[in-house]
């Protein structure tokens, strides 16, 4: 109704209304006031500086007498002529000048045309109309053209840049000329005295912004499921905000006006924090207001924000916004915006303010829902559901927003080609990878392993993926979900490829762990005296957990779980690794570049279904929590010339640290009860972090050390006692422990020589890059990067602690990888040189991934088992009597330890190299050299000592030859010679045979 009246032509009665005194006009009905505001004014010559095609209109000039032509105008009143009044004395010198007012109205759809005219009419009907009205149309050229043709005396701008109300307001701010700039949307109507009351609040120069008194007007009626505590979603101030005039400590709510100069100095509204709900243009969310408030206060320490209840605005709530879908999407947008505030503390405080009234009202609302009481215009049950959904949506939005809160301002704007490559390479590489797995003949593998049978499309997929990832790193506006998608697909390509190609479980060690789990399922208890597997029974945490999981899933065994272990463990590693990196830097390129390098260089094969893989994930979780939640002391700001530093994590109270310590007992106990080495690594790392004043928490260190020592001494002492002499003997021998992990290449197959050199080149190259990154980013390492440096350096002390069965080199490499991967990525990221980002970095990443394939896929001849091999071992266990002896050149056969409590096993590659190496070796047990010289006789002597009723079996499955001869454990041709001698001997009989191998039984010696 108001819109149609506003469009009517002015008649004589309207002209007469103009001549009324201001006090009489204030009493006019809204319709008459609207007519008064619509009176046009011809353009004057002094308006040449106004925007082209726009008439800047001042209704007050129509009500005031024109100044004399020969009277000079001073600068303070040049834009607002003051009539010459001789009857009154001049104003005092210290009288405050009334500021001028500009109003910026943001709109964005053709359907809002009627509401926009109502808003403009209400502004023109002010007792003191604004000197300038600016309409900014956000990405709607049709409405912009309509506004230019249908609205007189306003500045009409079309925002074609970044979408959103914040960006549109900033565009309006650039052309605003008033001392005060008020921001409205197309559903806001102002009371006639709004501008007078608003400008009165700006009398004091310390006032930077004024929030008007906003009344919500529901166009389609207020929904009965909408609680009052959620009015802030619609632009009203939060429940509990002051109702009396005075200073306030936030900018939230619609109808806020600012002094133009301080707002422009602060850079306007932070448009990067603006998250709109769907396609509905509404008030910028809380993150924009929280950051803007901080910027204004930082630049104007004595400034304040004022609430003026006499400045009345009416905000219309359309039917589109009066839905639960909008409320939930708006809450998600609020959470994302608050999470993106650069200072996490300000974002969290604003989030708490938003949700405080909602949380405090839950008990009352719950009581009202149960008793069906409460306000008549609200249904308590539905209102309770709305509150809970709003809280959940806001928290989800905040958590997802934290994933996208890394710093991207240093990244140059992406071109169309970069945008296209970054978003198409991921699906293209995924499709190519999937297609490449359809044509792989595993029987054609050579001594280079799986590398030799993967088709060209597989390698093309890798190249496309790397090119797309590098392009994504150079796109500043890309959501981090794209980065996570690339990381997940990289993990899938690296670790799911064998699982998809192989018909059975990969790795003989994984088969061994499945056998231990099967034992626990069958017996329901551990056996600390289980021979060579006693360590598994004395650190049974991993096996007990997956035994429960297997039974809970109703599976016959853990094979299906173990098959996907590498993929699951690496995906689980991604989140704590991401949190750890984000704690020390907020540079998006460096965070995701470090993650990519980590997975590309994790070639050592310790991520299979094992206690080590599980405890590594828990280890990273504990460290991520410690560096993010256990800071006590202050962090002095250091030089950060490259913009790498992250905001320091918040300082925690004693209560908070106690709470986190209690929560971390579960993963720490799981680590202590599952693995021998990882608890020691954790204690060493926490101890090194303890040296830093900021993480000096004695409780978490003592809990970790106590659980590790208590388990080792109190439960697993039997194993430690048996190895104590070896452990003590290797202490301090860092060189010997290092050499124990290096393979002698003299008898190794040519392909394995290439694999070994590729492994070493990747490892050495990564460490060299890490050292270079540490030198290049040394200023960053002194402050924010120091925790990551401590985490990476702590494992190095274990070179002097023991050889760990010749694997300490690989384990130290694995535990230092978070640091080395991050610092290696820091050599190239971030970089201002396009050549480094677009040419050098892809080549380096491709070399790293290639090194992974050599190191991780190069030994697959010994890790791959056929279904025939699995069936061969199953049949052997079915026919073998209890206490029988099973012998094979190595334990590389599927299910080698199945039902290990019923059988004895002997693996020829574990024979001592000489009798001098083991002086007490029984005469019937051959050395490895004796076996190589005389295979059959040595084997007969070894298998001759059998208990009554037991039998001896020799297993020669397909995998034995590449597992022993390719790495040089046995001379080439030993397996074939053994097979010929056994088949020629009358002491052996072939009892089982299939394409997977043969089983020979030792016959009793004839008397």
């Amino acid at each position: 109704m108001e819109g149609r009246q506003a469009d009517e032509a002015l008649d004589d009665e309207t002209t007469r209304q103009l001549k009324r005194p201001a006090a009489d006009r204030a009493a006019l009905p809204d319709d008459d006031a609207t007519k008064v505001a619509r009176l046009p004014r011809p353009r004057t010559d002094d308006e040449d500086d106004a925007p082209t095609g726009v008439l800047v209109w001042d209704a007050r000039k129509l009500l005031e007498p024109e100044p004399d032509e020969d009277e000079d105008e001073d600068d303070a009143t040049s834009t607002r002529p003051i009539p010459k009044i001789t009857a009154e004395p001049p104003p005092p010198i210290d009288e405050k000048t009334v500021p001028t007012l500009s109003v910026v109205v943001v709109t964005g759809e053709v359907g809002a045309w009627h509401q926009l005219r109502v808003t403009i009419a209400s502004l023109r009907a002010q007792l003191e109309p604004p000197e300038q009205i600016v309409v900014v149309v956000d990405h709607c050229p049709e409405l912009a053209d309509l506004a230019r043709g249908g609205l007189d005396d306003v500045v009409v701008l079309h925002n074609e840049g970044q979408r959103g109300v914040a960006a549109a307001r900033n565009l309006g701010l650039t052309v605003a000329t008033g001392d005060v700039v008020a921001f409205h949307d197309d559903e806001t109507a102002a009371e006639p005295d709004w501008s007078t009351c608003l400008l009165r609040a700006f009398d004091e120069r310390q006032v930077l912004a004024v929030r008007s008194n906003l009344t919500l007007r529901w166009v389609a009626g207020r929904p009965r499921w909408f609680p009052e505590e959620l009015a802030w979603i619609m632009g009203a101030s939060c429940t509990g905000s002051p109702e009396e005039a005075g200073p306030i400590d936030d900018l939230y709510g619609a109808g806020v006006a600012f002094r133009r100069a301080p707002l422009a100095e602060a850079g306007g509204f932070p448009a990067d924090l603006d998250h709109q709900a769907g396609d509905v243009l509404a008030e910028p969310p809380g993150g924009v207001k929280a950051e803007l408030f901080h910027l204004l206060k930082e630049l104007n320490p004595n400034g304040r924000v004022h609430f003026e209840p006499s400045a009345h605005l009416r905000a219309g709530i359309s039917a589109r916004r009066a839905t639960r879908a909008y409320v939930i999407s708006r809450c998600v947008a609020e959470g994302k915006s608050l999470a993106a505030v650069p200072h996490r503390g300000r974002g969290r405080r604003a989030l708490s303010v938003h949700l405080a009234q909602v949380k405090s009202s839950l008990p009352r609302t719950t009581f009202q829902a149960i008793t069906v009481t409460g306000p008549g215009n609200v249904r308590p049950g539905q209102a309770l559901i709305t509150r809970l959904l709003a809280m959940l949506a806001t928290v989800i939005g905040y958590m997802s927003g934290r994933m996208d809160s890394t710093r991207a301002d240093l990244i140059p704007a992406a071109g169309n080609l970069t945008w296209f490559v970054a978003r198409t390479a991921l699906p293209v590489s995924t499709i190519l990878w999937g297609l490449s797995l359809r044509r792989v003949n595993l029987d054609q593998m050579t001594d280079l392993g799986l590398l030799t049978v993967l088709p060209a499309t597989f390698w093309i997929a890798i190249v496309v993926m790397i090119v797309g990832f590098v392009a994504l790193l150079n796109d500043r506006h890309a959501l981090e979900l794209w980065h996570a998608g690339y990381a997940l697909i990289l993990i899938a390509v690296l670790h799911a490829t064998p699982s998809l190609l192989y018909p059975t479980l990969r790795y003989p060690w994984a088969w061994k762990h499945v056998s231990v789990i099967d034992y626990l399922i069958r017996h329901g208890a551990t056996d600390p005296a289980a021979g060579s597997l006693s360590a598994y029974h004395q650190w049974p945490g991993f096996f007990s957990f997956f035994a429960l999981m297997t039974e809970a899933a109703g599976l016959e065994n853990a094979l299906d779980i173990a098959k996907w272990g590498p993929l699951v463990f690496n995906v689980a590693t991604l989140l704590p690794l991401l949190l750890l990196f984000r704690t020390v830097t907020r540079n998006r390129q460096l965070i995701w570049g470090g993650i990519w390098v980590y997975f590309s260089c994790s070639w050592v094969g310790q991520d299979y279904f094992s206690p080590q893989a599980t405890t590594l994930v828990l280890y990273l979780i504990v460290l991520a929590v410690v560096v993010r939640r256990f800071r006590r002391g202050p962090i002095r700001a250091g030089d950060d010339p490259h913009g790498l530093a992250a905001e320091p994590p918040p300082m925690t109270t004693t209560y908070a640290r106690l709470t986190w310590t209690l929560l971390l007992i579960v993963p720490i106990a799981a680590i202590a009860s599952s693995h021998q080495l990882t608890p020691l690594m954790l204690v060493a790392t926490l101890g090194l972090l303890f040296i830093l004043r900021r993480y000096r928490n004695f409780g978490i260190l003592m809990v970790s050390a106590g659980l590790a020592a208590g388990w080792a001494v109190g439960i697993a002492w039997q194993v430690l006692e048996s190895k104590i002499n070896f452990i003590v003997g290797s202490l301090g021998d860092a060189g010997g422990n290092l050499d124990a992990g290096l393979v002698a290449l003299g008898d190794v197959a040519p392909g394995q020589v290439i694999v070994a050199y590729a492994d070493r080149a990747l490892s050495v190259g990564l460490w060299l890059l890490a050292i270079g990154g540490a030198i290049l980013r040394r200023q960053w390492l002194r402050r924010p990067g120091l925790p990551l440096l401590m985490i990476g350096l702590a494992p190095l002390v274990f070179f002097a602690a023991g050889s760990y069965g010749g694997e300490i080199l690989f384990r130290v490499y694995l535990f230092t990888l978070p640091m080395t991967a991050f610092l290696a990525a820091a050599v190239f990221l971030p970089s201002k040189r396009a050549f480094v980002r677009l040419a050098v970095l892809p080549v380096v990443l491709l070399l790293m991934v290639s090194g992974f394939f050599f190191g991780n896929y190069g030994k697959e001849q010994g890790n791959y088992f056929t279904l025939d091999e699995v069936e061969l071992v199953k049949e052997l266990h079915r026919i073998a009597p209890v206490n029988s002896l099973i012998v094979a050149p190595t334990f590389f056969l599927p299910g080698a330890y199945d039902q290990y409590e019923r059988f004895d096993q002997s693996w020829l590659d574990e024979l001592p190299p000489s009798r001098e190496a083991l002086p007490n070796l029984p005469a019937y047990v051959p050395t490895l050299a004796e076996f190589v010289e005389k295979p059959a006789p040595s084997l007969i002597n070894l298998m001759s000592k059998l208990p009554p009723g037991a039998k001896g079996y020799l297993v020669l499955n397909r995998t034995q030859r590449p597992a022993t001869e390719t790495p040089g454990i046995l001379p080439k041709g030993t397996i074939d010679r053994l097979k010929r001698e056994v088949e020629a001997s009358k002491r052996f009989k072939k009892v089982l045979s299939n394409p997977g191998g043969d089983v020979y039984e030792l016959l009793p010696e004839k008397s």
Side-chain angles (χ1 to χ4, degrees):
M1 186 67 180
E2 290 179 347
R4 289 195 299 270
Q5 291 174 344
D7 288 336
E8 294 177 357
L10 293 174
D11 52 13
D12 294 339
E13 176 63 24
T14 304
T15 306
R16 287 193 296 272
Q17 300 288 0
L18 280 172
K19 299 179 180 179
R20 291 188 180 186
D24 294 339
R25 281 188 286 108
L28 287 176
D30 288 348
D31 295 343
D32 292 336
T34 302
K35 292 180 181 180
V36 173
R38 290 289 297 172
L39 183 64
R41 178 181 62 85
R43 182 179 178 90
T44 59
D45 294 335
D46 60 350
E47 295 172 337
D48 294 337
D49 293 335
T52 305
V54 177
L55 192 61
V56 181
W57 177 70
D58 185 356
R60 286 174 295 182
K61 294 183 180 181
L62 295 174
L63 305 178
E64 298 168 345
E66 294 291 336
D68 295 337
E69 294 181 359
D70 57 349
E71 183 178 359
D72 294 334
E73 296 179 356
D74 56 47
D75 293 339
T77 60
S78 60
T79 59
R80 186 181 178 194
I82 304 297
K84 184 176 181 180
I85 303 176
T86 58
E88 296 182 4
I93 297 176
D94 59 348
E95 181 178 347
K96 298 174 182 176
T97 304
V98 177
T100 57
L101 175 65
S102 295
V103 180
V104 176
V105 182
V106 176
T107 184
E109 59 178 10
V110 176
W113 171 240
H114 171 67
Q115 292 89 345
L116 177 61
R117 289 186 300 171
V118 173
T119 299
I120 300 300
S122 71
L123 295 174
R124 287 170 169 164
Q126 295 296 300
L127 299 180
E128 294 188 38
E131 294 201 353
Q132 183 189 39
I133 300 176
V134 180
V135 174
V136 182
V137 182
D138 188 60
H139 288 81
C140 185
E142 298 85 358
L143 180 59
D145 293 339
L146 192 61
R148 292 189 182 101
L151 297 177
D152 298 328
D153 307 330
V154 299
V155 179
V156 178
L157 303 175
H158 185 218
N159 177 32
E160 298 179 346
Q162 183 177 347
R163 288 183 178 272
V165 174
R169 288 183 174 184
N170 290 338
L171 179 60
L173 180 63
T174 60
V175 301
T177 58
D179 301 323
V180 173
V181 183
F183 296 93
H184 292 184
D185 58 29
D186 53 21
E187 293 181 333
T188 302
E191 297 292 340
D193 62 346
W194 166 77
S195 62
T196 303
C197 298
L198 177 73
L199 293 176
R200 187 190 307 129
F202 280 97
D203 284 347
E204 298 184 30
R205 297 300 300 176
Q206 289 82 6
V207 175
L208 302 176
V210 174
R211 186 170 69 201
S212 300
N213 189 2
L214 188 73
T215 302
L216 300 182
R217 182 173 56 85
W218 300 83
V219 176
R222 174 174 173 166
R224 300 189 67 183
W225 48 261
F226 187 85
E228 184 65 27
E229 291 81 6
L230 294 179
W232 53 269
I233 294 175
M234 303 301 173
S237 57
C238 296
T239 303
S241 295
E243 297 182 358
E244 302 294 333
I248 53 178
D249 57 359
D250 68 82
L251 290 173
Y252 203 83
V256 180
F258 300 84
R259 289 194 188 273
R260 179 172 56 83
L263 180 61
E265 185 182 7
F269 293 84
D272 290 340
L273 305 181
D274 189 10
H275 293 268
Q276 295 293 314
D279 58 350
V280 180
L281 283 177
E283 187 72 11
V288 176
K289 300 299 186 67
E291 182 64 13
L292 179 57
F293 181 83
H294 166 72
L295 294 174
L296 288 173
K297 293 291 289 183
E298 188 177 51
L299 295 172
N300 306 272
N302 296 324
R304 68 174 189 266
V305 179
H306 184 83
F307 172 59
E308 182 52 58
S310 62
H312 291 279
L313 292 174
R314 301 188 304 273
I317 307 300
S318 63
R320 295 176 60 194
R321 297 171 65 189
T323 63
R324 275 202 182 98
Y326 174 80
V327 169
I328 293 174
S329 61
R330 176 70 185 193
C331 288
V332 173
E334 289 283 345
K336 287 184 176 180
S337 177
L338 293 170
V341 174
H343 192 285
R344 284 180 289 176
R346 290 195 295 271
R348 282 194 300 269
R349 285 192 294 271
L351 179 66
S352 300
V353 171
H354 281 42
L355 299 182
Q357 294 298 324
V358 181
K359 291 188 293 185
S360 63
S361 67
L362 285 178
R364 171 174 48 84
T365 309
T366 303
F367 175 78
Q368 293 173 351
I370 296 174
T371 59
V372 196
T373 58
N377 62 340
V378 176
R379 293 178 179 175
Q382 295 185 11
L384 176 61
I385 294 175
T386 304
R387 284 179 173 88
L388 294 175
L389 290 176
M391 290 180 60
L392 180 62
T394 306
V395 172
I396 291 176
Y398 184 84
M399 294 176 63
S400 64
R402 288 300 303 162
M403 292 293 294
D404 288 318
S405 63
T406 49
R407 186 175 181 180
D409 56 318
L410 299 178
I411 305 175
N416 293 332
L417 179 61
T418 300
W419 184 94
F420 177 79
V421 171
R423 285 153 181 79
T424 57
L426 182 61
V428 169
S429 61
T430 304
I431 293 173
L432 288 174
W433 170 59
L435 294 176
S436 68
L437 302 183
R438 300 192 306 169
R439 301 178 181 179
V440 178
N441 187 351
L442 298 174
D443 294 330
Q444 294 182 354
M445 272 195 287
T446 67
D447 55 3
L448 277 174
L450 195 58
L451 297 171
T452 55
V453 296
L454 292 173
T457 50
F458 181 88
W459 305 109
I460 295 175
I462 298 298
V463 174
V464 172
M465 187 190 311
I466 291 175
V467 172
F469 179 72
V470 172
L472 185 67
L473 290 178
N474 291 278
D475 186 352
R476 67 184 302 174
H477 295 300
L479 293 176
E480 286 190 79
L481 289 176
W482 280 99
H483 300 77
Y486 270 97
L488 290 173
I489 294 301
L490 174 68
I491 293 171
V493 171
L494 298 181
H495 299 286
T497 295
S499 300
L500 293 171
L501 289 177
Y502 296 177
T504 63
L505 178 61
R506 181 195 187 204
Y507 278 135
W509 294 273
W511 282 92
K512 182 194 292 188
H513 297 158
V514 170
S515 298
V516 177
I517 292 173
D518 182 62
Y519 177 94
L520 295 181
I521 293 175
R522 286 185 286 107
H523 295 272
T526 61
D527 181 11
S532 62
L533 302 181
S534 60
Y536 293 158
H537 287 262
Q538 296 194 27
W539 277 276
F542 164 83
F543 304 102
S544 300
F545 174 79
F546 281 102
L548 291 175
M549 293 298 100
T550 302
E551 290 186 292
L555 300 175
E556 181 181 356
N557 52 51
L559 283 174
D560 291 335
I561 298 176
K563 184 175 183 179
W564 299 101
L567 177 64
V568 173
F569 290 137
N570 280 277
V571 170
T573 302
L574 177 60
L575 181 57
L577 195 66
L578 178 62
L579 294 176
L580 190 60
F581 286 175
R582 287 168 66 95
T583 305
V584 297
T585 183
R586 288 193 63 196
N587 185 277
R588 176 180 299 181
Q589 291 178 316
L590 187 52
I591 289 172
W592 289 102
I595 288 175
W596 186 278
V597 173
Y598 177 91
F599 290 108
S600 298
C601 296
S602 182
W603 64 268
V604 294
Q606 296 298 325
D607 46 19
Y608 64 98
F609 185 67
S610 64
Q612 174 68 94
T614 306
T615 55
L616 178 64
V617 175
L618 299 176
Y619 168 86
L620 291 174
I621 290 174
V622 172
L623 293 182
V625 172
V626 168
V627 298
R628 293 176 70 87
R629 293 290 179 260
F630 278 73
R631 185 171 76 86
R632 298 182 64 180
I635 298 178
R636 290 180 297 169
D639 295 334
D640 186 29
H642 305 291
L644 301 182
E647 176 192 345
M651 293 180 62
T652 49
T653 62
T654 302
Y655 176 79
R657 291 194 301 273
L658 176 61
T659 302
W660 279 109
T661 301
L662 294 176
L663 292 175
L664 289 178
I665 287 178
V666 175
I668 294 174
I671 293 172
S673 63
S674 298
H675 201 238
Q676 301 84 31
L677 183 62
T678 308
L680 303 179
M681 290 282 188
L682 179 62
V683 173
T685 304
L686 293 176
L688 208 54
L689 285 173
F690 182 80
I691 297 175
L692 305 178
R693 291 183 57 191
R694 68 184 80 168
Y695 298 108
R696 185 165 293 177
N697 190 289
F698 193 69
I700 191 68
L701 180 59
M702 287 298 97
V703 167
S704 302
L707 287 175
W711 191 278
V713 176
I715 297 177
W717 177 249
Q718 182 177 347
V719 173
L720 289 179
E721 187 179 24
S722 65
K723 299 180 180 295
I724 192 68
N725 292 332
F726 176 77
I727 295 174
V728 173
S730 61
L731 286 176
D733 187 13
N737 298 332
L738 182 63
D739 292 339
L742 299 177
V743 178
L745 302 180
D747 299 325
V748 176
Q752 289 301 294
V753 174
I754 297 175
V755 170
Y757 280 121
D759 296 346
R760 298 174 186 181
L762 177 60
S763 303
V764 173
L766 178 66
W767 267 93
L768 290 176
L769 286 176
I771 294 173
I775 297 174
L776 183 64
R777 311 298 184 186
R778 58 189 179 276
Q779 292 174 315
W780 168 82
L781 278 176
R782 293 173 184 172
R783 290 291 181 269
L786 201 55
L788 186 62
L789 183 64
M790 297 297 101
I791 290 171
L793 295 179
L796 297 179
V797 302
F798 286 87
F799 276 133
S803 66
Y804 200 69
E807 292 190 355
I808 195 62
L809 174 63
F810 306 112
R811 303 304 173 94
V812 169
Y813 176 89
L814 182 65
F815 281 96
T816 59
L817 190 55
M819 178 196 70
T820 54
F822 187 91
L823 292 178
V827 174
F828 308 98
L829 298 170
S831 176
K832 296 181 179 179
R833 299 180 180 180
F835 174 76
V836 174
R837 299 194 315 268
L838 302 178
V840 177
L841 182 60
V843 174
V844 172
L845 296 183
L846 181 60
L847 290 174
M848 289 179 173
V849 173
S850 301
F852 172 91
F853 285 122
F854 275 98
N856 203 269
Y857 286 10
K859 303 177 178 65
E860 290 307 289
Q861 271 191 319
N863 295 328
Y864 159 59
F865 301 114
T866 65
L867 290 173
D868 290 325
E869 292 178 89
V870 175
E871 187 60 33
L872 183 73
V873 177
K874 282 185 177 181
E875 185 63 18
L876 170 61
H877 290 158
R878 188 185 64 82
I879 65 173
V882 177
N883 295 327
S884 293
L885 176 64
I886 298 175
V887 180
T890 182
F891 82 101
F892 281 49
L893 64 156
Y897 287 94
D898 284 357
Q899 305 179 53
Y900 55 86
E901 75 278 12
R902 296 181 66 240
F903 309 111
D904 291 328
Q905 298 87 14
S906 181
W907 317 120
L908 300 176
D909 62 337
E910 297 179 0
L911 293 173
S914 65
R915 295 197 176 272
E916 290 76 13
L918 197 62
N920 298 324
L921 186 68
Y924 68 89
V925 177
T927 64
L928 187 60
E930 292 171 349
F931 166 74
V932 172
E933 183 180 357
K934 298 178 179 180
S938 300
L939 194 59
I940 293 172
N941 290 336
L942 178 64
M943 300 174 66
S944 60
K945 302 297 183 179
L946 296 174
K951 296 183 178 181
Y953 298 93
L954 171 67
V955 182
L956 295 178
N957 58 307
R958 182 200 61 84
T959 310
Q960 293 299 318
R961 182 183 294 105
T964 56
E965 296 181 5
T966 300
I969 297 174
L970 297 177
K972 187 175 182 180
T974 301
I975 300 299
D976 289 337
R977 187 156 58 91
L978 172 62
K979 186 174 183 179
R980 289 195 302 268
E981 291 186 10
V982 166
E983 290 182 345
S985 173
K986 296 180 180 180
R987 293 293 306 275
F988 289 94
K989 177 181 69 173
K990 183 184 293 186
V991 294
L992 294 174
S993 181
N994 69 19
D998 303 300
V999 176
Y1000 301 89
E1001 178 186 340
L1002 178 66
L1003 299 176
E1005 185 176 5
K1006 294 181 180 180
S1007 55

